Structures are given as structure tokens and as C-alpha cells.
Amino acid sequence: MSEKEQPRIVIIGGGTGLSVLLRGLKKYPVDITAIVTVADDGGSSGRLREDLDIPAPGDVRNVLAALSDVEPLVEEMFQHRFTNSKDLDGHSLGNLILAAMTSITGNFTYAIQEMSKVLNVRGKVLPATSHSVILNAVMEDGTVVVGESNIPEAGKKIKKVFLTPEDSEPLPETIHAIEQADLIVMGPGSLYTSILPNLVVPEIKEAVREAKAKKVYVCNIMTQAGETSDYTASDHVKALYEHVEKPFIDTIIVNKTNIPANIQQRYDEEKAKPVVFDINRLERMDLDVIAGDIIKLDQGVIRHNTLEVAKILYSIID
């Protein structure tokens, strides 16, 4: 099947969840465009963003690595994080390369394109916006928390998130990809700090709302302290609807497998619990609910099973 004939899938998100999903999806004959948040302000990304006034490269780096088709050692080098160094401690090589390429070209998007060639990336990787932005959260008590890394630490219920500058613009290619997509996928990933930072970019929000593609949300398996404590699956969807200002999701993918008791105990320390999949309420929201065995244990950490989720997504467009 030629690339022009392949179904076009747009994946919107960030963090580990997006990278995990893409590793499975790239094995299928699909044309992938990943739209990635650049609002991270912690760790290596935050330091580079503050020092060089560039969009945060960390989530983009992870997605490039996930979609790459290179020798494992090359990917490992790209993802390598320095330790025991006064100046480089905490920085990953991939972040430094993206920062260097941005400095050379003066264009963060061009830096991503060039790295995509070097890493033989399967698909397109586009930042949600091509300039530095700050994620802010309005809490239920009216206080405003500034900075992506500070939001989960506030210990308060989130009402909404927004970017500054509020009129941040996406790339024309991003809007075109959304308009031409056969399937648009949100998640998995941190609801307020990985997925919604993309959807609150005004033109992206409008494009997703009006797109003709079928829209799918891959629901998180566990709640996240400081973001989605006690959230059910329908609460996740409700938050998405409130930010996009319209019901827009057709299908939700949820996990139907019980979490082993010993793994739940580990997550108790993080104040995280399995998301309650309130299927009756989801169906009342006119959602097509797909419940599958979609979890995988990775060294005691619960991840989405990338192959199972990718298989479900491909079956939706097929």
C-alpha cells in the first residue's frame, strides 16, 4: 500500500503515554502525524526553555525516538541522560541536539524535521505551537497556578487549563493534518498536562471540533494525583468537552482487566487508583465504548499495551 493510500491518523498528546502508543501504531500501514505538547517546564526541557527561549523539547524528543527506525544503540544514544556532571547533569542528548539545531536554524520546527530525517522517523512530528508557551491552571478555589510542573504539586482540584500567550498559533501543517485525518486520537497521557495543552491552542481546538474524522479517546488506566484524583472515565471525557467547548468524541477505549493487588498497593503510595470505567454513563454520553485487555506491566509499572491499543485503533479505521 502506498503512503498516499494509507489511512491518515493524527495522535494528540505528550508524555510517556503518547510515545508508548506510537511504538505499536507505527507497525501498521498508516500515515501518522503526532501533535505534541511543548508546555513542559521541568527538568532538562525546562532548563533549556528558560536558557534559550525555545519550546520545550522533551516530549518531542520522546516521540521522535518512538517513531524512529534506527539501530537500538542510536536510539539509546539519542535518549541518553547525563549524570554526574555539573553542567550536563539531567540533560538528555536528544534535548541538547534539538536545542542546538534550533539555535543553528533559528526554527524549532525545522530542527524537528531535520532530526526526523536523521532518525528515519516513521511519520510526522509537529509541535502544538512553534514558540515557547506556559501552561497555567485555574483551580476550583479560583487560584491560578503557573507552570506545567507546578500544577500537579498544588494539591487542588483543577477547573481548567490555559496557555500564555493565549493566542498561541499552531503550524499550518498541523491544521491541515487534522482536517485531512481519517482518525484523530487523544491520549493516553496526563489529562491536564499532556493532552489538554494541545487542545487549548485556539486553532487546534477549532480544527478538532470541526474535523470530519472519527475521534477516539484512549482513557488512562490509573488516576493521577494532583490532576485526576477520583476521576471516572466519564469525568475525563467531561474535562475534554469543557475545554473544547463541545462534545466531540465518538469512541472511548477503556481497560477491562483487573489490576493485580500488589501493583495497586504500589500505586497507593502515589495516591493513584484504577480509573472507574462507568460504562453506563459513557453510553449515555453517546460514546461507542470499546473495553479491551489493554494493560501491560513494565517492571511493576502499568502501561498501555501498545500492540493491543494499536490493533484496536487500526480496526476502527479498517
Side-chain angles (χ1 to χ4, degrees):
M1 186 181 289
S2 70
E3 188 168 327
K4 288 184 179 179
E5 295 172 331
Q6 292 177 352
R8 296 177 289 266
I9 301 183
V10 169
I11 318 285
I12 300 174
T16 305
L18 179 60
S19 300
V20 167
L21 175 57
L22 290 171
R23 288 186 184 277
L25 200 55
K26 73 178 182 181
K27 299 180 185 298
Y28 286 83
V30 291
D31 182 359
I32 299 171
T33 299
I35 300 173
V36 189
T37 177
V38 289
D40 186 12
D41 64 353
S44 172
S45 283
R47 288 159 61 191
L48 291 171
R49 192 179 82 161
E50 185 175 343
D51 290 344
L52 303 175
D53 191 29
I54 62 172
D59 287 286
V60 168
R61 182 198 82 243
N62 283 327
V63 169
L64 287 171
L67 288 174
S68 67
D69 185 13
V70 291
E71 292 294 327
L73 186 60
V74 175
E75 182 185 339
E76 185 178 349
M77 178 182 69
F78 186 67
Q79 291 283 62
H80 176 72
R81 194 173 295 276
F82 294 95
T83 57
N84 303 319
S85 168
K86 181 179 178 182
D87 295 320
L88 294 178
D89 195 54
H91 279 304
S92 74
L93 181 60
N95 284 357
L96 295 174
I97 293 174
L98 284 168
M101 188 69 76
T102 303
S103 179
I104 291 167
T105 64
N107 188 308
F108 183 64
T109 303
Y110 186 71
I112 297 171
Q113 292 172 350
E114 291 304 301
M115 284 311 305
S116 295
K117 295 175 186 176
V118 171
L119 294 171
N120 195 22
V121 164
R122 169 104 157 72
K124 301 183 194 74
V125 180
L126 300 171
T129 181
S130 59
H131 50 269
S132 184
V133 292
I134 297 172
L135 183 67
N136 312 272
V138 179
M139 302 301 186
E140 289 284 357
D141 64 1
T143 58
V144 177
V145 178
V146 178
E148 184 264 355
S149 61
N150 296 322
I151 292 170
E153 302 299 322
K156 299 179 179 180
K157 187 173 175 60
I158 302 169
K159 183 177 181 181
K160 70 172 184 175
V161 293
F162 65 96
L163 296 175
T164 48
E166 292 191 50
D167 58 351
S168 301
E169 295 183 354
L171 299 167
E173 300 98 304
T174 301
I175 302 304
H176 180 73
I178 293 170
E179 291 173 344
Q180 297 298 312
D182 297 301
L183 186 71
I184 298 173
V185 182
M186 279 73 57
S190 299
L191 179 62
Y192 288 101
T193 55
S194 290
I195 300 172
L196 284 170
N198 301 285
L199 294 174
V200 295
V201 176
E203 287 185 52
I204 291 180
K205 173 167 62 176
E206 180 67 20
V208 169
R209 234 175 10 203
E210 302 304 322
K212 296 178 181 178
K214 183 170 285 189
K215 304 170 186 83
V216 179
Y217 174 53
V218 183
C219 191
N220 290 339
I221 297 164
M222 305 294 291
T223 62
Q224 187 172 352
E227 286 202 40
T228 55
S229 296
D230 299 320
Y231 270 40
T232 65
S234 65
D235 290 329
H236 285 73
V237 174
K238 182 182 176 185
L240 288 163
Y241 285 1
E242 288 175 348
H243 283 78
V244 176
E245 299 169 0
K246 178 183 178 180
F248 68 100
I249 298 170
D250 300 296
T251 302
I252 182 170
I253 299 174
V254 300
N255 172 56
K256 68 177 182 180
T257 307
N258 290 330
I259 308 298
N262 63 318
I263 301 298
Q264 286 196 41
Q265 287 178 351
R266 173 174 176 171
Y267 277 87
D268 286 343
E269 298 173 7
E270 301 176 15
K271 299 180 180 178
K273 298 185 293 187
V275 172
V276 174
F277 300 117
D278 45 349
I279 291 179
N280 289 338
R281 189 175 175 195
L282 292 170
E283 290 176 341
R284 288 198 299 271
M285 298 171 82
D286 292 327
L287 289 166
D288 180 19
V289 181
I290 300 177
D293 180 9
I294 58 170
I295 66 167
K296 180 181 180 181
L297 299 181
D298 182 8
Q299 297 180 347
V301 178
I302 298 170
R303 303 282 189 211
H304 282 81
N305 186 322
T306 179
L307 297 178
E308 286 300 318
V309 177
K311 181 179 178 181
I312 293 170
L313 290 173
Y314 191 70
S315 72
I316 291 173
I317 34 177
D318 195 44

